[in-house]
Amino acid sequence: MKIKWIVGMALCTLLLSGSSRSAVRIKDIAKVQGTNETPLVGYGLVVGLDGSGDGRGARFTAQSVANMMERMGLSVSPDRIKVDNVAAVMATARLSPFVKKGSAIDVTVSSVGDASSLQGGTLLLTPLSAADGTVYATAQGAVSIGGFNFEAKDSDRFTKNHALVGRVPNGALVERELGMETGEELRIVLAHADYTTAARLADAVDEAFDDEMATPLDAGTVAISVSEEDRTPGGMVRLIAEIEAVEVEPDAVARVVVNEKTGTVVAGSHVTLSAVAVSHGNLSIEIRGTPVISQPGPFSMGRTVATTETEMGVREQHARLMVLEESTSVGDVAKALNALGVSPRDMIAIFQALKQAGALRAELIVL
């Protein structure tokens, strides 16, 4: 327990140590609007399973097999289909706007029925569409699960990894491109919206290009005007590359994040404290049960009885009242709280009390 307390305090001290802000590249905190990946999804069948497919409970699997047979010229009633080597799956993928027609992308397949494993299966031709219903790719190929799921006749089960989700590497062929629209304006979208960061980003771009070309539209978007020369495909690529390399110093909200499950405390660089008095003590209650065997006397008609004697001890640590001076940096906050000599979990309780008292000048988030 003592070792765990020391490690927790060391981790907390490291995370709460003094701030050192530096500039970062725009590409690390923002991206160009329109370059996001588009999720694709489709419903398909995995065949070739060794008895580990869907059972009678998944009636949609039998219906899907009947529909597939009908498209191939065979008329079969779903009620007469009983196959356990077929599993219904959902196929998902993500399409980048820079992937061209004819390229291959990875596909993830997940069972939607009551199959026990997708090991050794093959995904049949499955259209993958976006949210608007447009088909952008078609998937097909052998499924790799990276593990196994084996169940013996005596109910012994051996499992490695998750056998109901697999991948088809390069299993989807792109049929339609997303593309990226280019015009007179290029918009940069911040990963974390902040008015100060948006204003600094616009100023940094203007300074780097020696031109007033960037305008912050809101806390998360900065518009950059594009000259006619840069609207060509090659010119646009070079312009975006130069913008991404520009360095800017991002700002952040004063915030303290605590995780009660792990005892982790993380404080941002702008966290400060107002003058406050803190008293904290620990209360420990220990209950012990000692088994006692009661034997009957010689030649008596009694019987042996097992009982338990309970001992309870209460130990309370004397609380110390300590005055914390006004802190102007996260380093001062760390030193003041470490001076109390409390564990990380106790420090979480102190942060919550400081917030309620109005002494913590930061947003408190409890995970």
Side-chain angles (χ1 to χ4, degrees):
M1 180 63 70
K2 185 176 181 181
I3 295 177
K4 183 177 180 181
W5 180 85
I6 295 176
V7 173
M9 285 298 294
L11 175 62
C12 185
T13 303
L14 176 63
L15 295 175
L16 289 173
S17 58
S19 61
S20 57
R21 294 180 294 169
S22 60
V24 298
R25 298 176 303 174
I26 289 179
K27 71 183 303 180
D28 297 325
I29 61 173
K31 63 172 54 179
V32 179
Q33 190 178 54
T35 60
N36 296 332
E37 293 182 334
T38 298
L40 305 178
V41 65
Y43 172 83
L45 295 174
V46 171
V47 299
L49 304 177
D50 187 12
S52 60
D54 293 337
R56 288 184 174 272
R59 297 185 60 86
F60 49 84
T61 304
Q63 183 64 57
S64 300
V65 173
N67 295 343
M68 179 184 65
M69 293 297 182
E70 187 173 354
R71 288 196 299 269
M72 294 182 177
L74 299 175
S75 180
V76 182
S77 173
D79 297 332
R80 300 180 62 87
I81 295 178
K82 181 183 177 183
V83 290
D84 56 2
N85 60 348
V86 180
V89 297
M90 297 301 296
T92 58
R94 301 186 70 88
L95 180 62
S96 169
F98 307 112
V99 176
K100 303 303 178 182
K101 183 178 179 179
S103 301
I105 58 177
D106 294 342
V107 179
T108 301
V109 294
S110 307
S111 172
V112 295
D114 54 1
S116 58
S117 175
L118 299 180
Q119 181 181 1
T122 300
L123 176 68
L124 296 183
L125 191 63
T126 303
L128 301 179
S129 59
D132 59 358
T134 304
V135 176
Y136 284 92
T138 53
Q140 182 171 280
V143 178
S144 173
I145 63 173
F148 57 84
N149 185 0
F150 174 74
E151 187 172 355
K153 293 183 179 180
D154 55 358
S155 299
D156 290 337
R157 187 173 181 178
F158 304 93
T159 302
K160 180 181 179 182
N161 297 337
H162 193 61
L164 295 179
V165 178
R167 290 181 66 85
V168 184
N170 293 328
L173 186 66
V174 177
E175 303 288 349
R176 183 192 298 265
E177 300 177 11
L178 286 175
M180 175 181 172
E181 297 182 0
T182 59
E184 301 179 358
E185 188 178 77
L186 190 67
R187 296 197 174 188
I188 305 297
V189 181
L190 292 172
H192 300 284
D194 183 82
Y195 285 105
T196 304
T197 304
R200 290 178 181 176
L201 191 151
D203 294 339
V205 172
D206 290 344
E207 183 179 353
F209 288 88
D210 195 20
D211 187 12
E212 295 184 359
M213 55 188 299
T215 304
L217 301 180
D218 50 46
T221 310
V222 176
I224 299 177
S225 59
V226 181
S227 64
E228 186 175 353
E229 180 182 356
D230 291 331
R231 292 174 198 166
T232 61
M236 183 63 70
V237 171
R238 293 186 180 91
L239 175 63
I240 294 177
E242 293 176 2
I243 292 174
E244 289 183 335
V246 175
E247 294 188 344
V248 61
E249 184 178 323
D251 198 25
V253 178
R255 183 173 296 161
V256 177
V257 181
V258 299
N259 190 329
E260 291 187 316
K261 302 180 184 69
T262 61
T264 304
V265 181
V266 180
S269 60
H270 297 285
V271 176
T272 59
L273 288 178
S274 60
V276 66
V278 177
S279 176
H280 185 79
N282 292 325
L283 178 66
S284 300
I285 300 176
E286 183 180 4
I287 300 177
R288 290 183 178 179
T290 304
V292 177
I293 305 299
S294 177
Q295 295 280 1
F299 306 104
S300 65
M301 297 299 292
R303 58 190 180 90
T304 302
V305 178
T307 61
T308 302
E309 290 186 358
T310 302
E311 297 180 1
M312 183 175 64
V314 179
R315 182 179 57 191
E316 184 176 8
Q317 181 182 1
H318 294 290
R320 296 178 299 166
L321 182 63
M322 179 174 292
V323 177
L324 302 182
E325 301 293 340
E326 183 173 358
S327 305
T328 58
S329 69
V330 68
D332 296 336
V333 175
K335 293 178 182 178
L337 294 178
N338 284 333
L340 294 175
V342 297
S343 67
R345 296 189 182 276
D346 292 334
M347 193 174 293
I348 292 175
I350 292 176
F351 268 118
Q352 292 174 339
L354 288 173
K355 183 64 176 179
Q356 292 297 322
L360 180 62
R361 299 169 180 165
E363 179 184 358
L364 181 62
I365 299 177
V366 182
L367 300 180

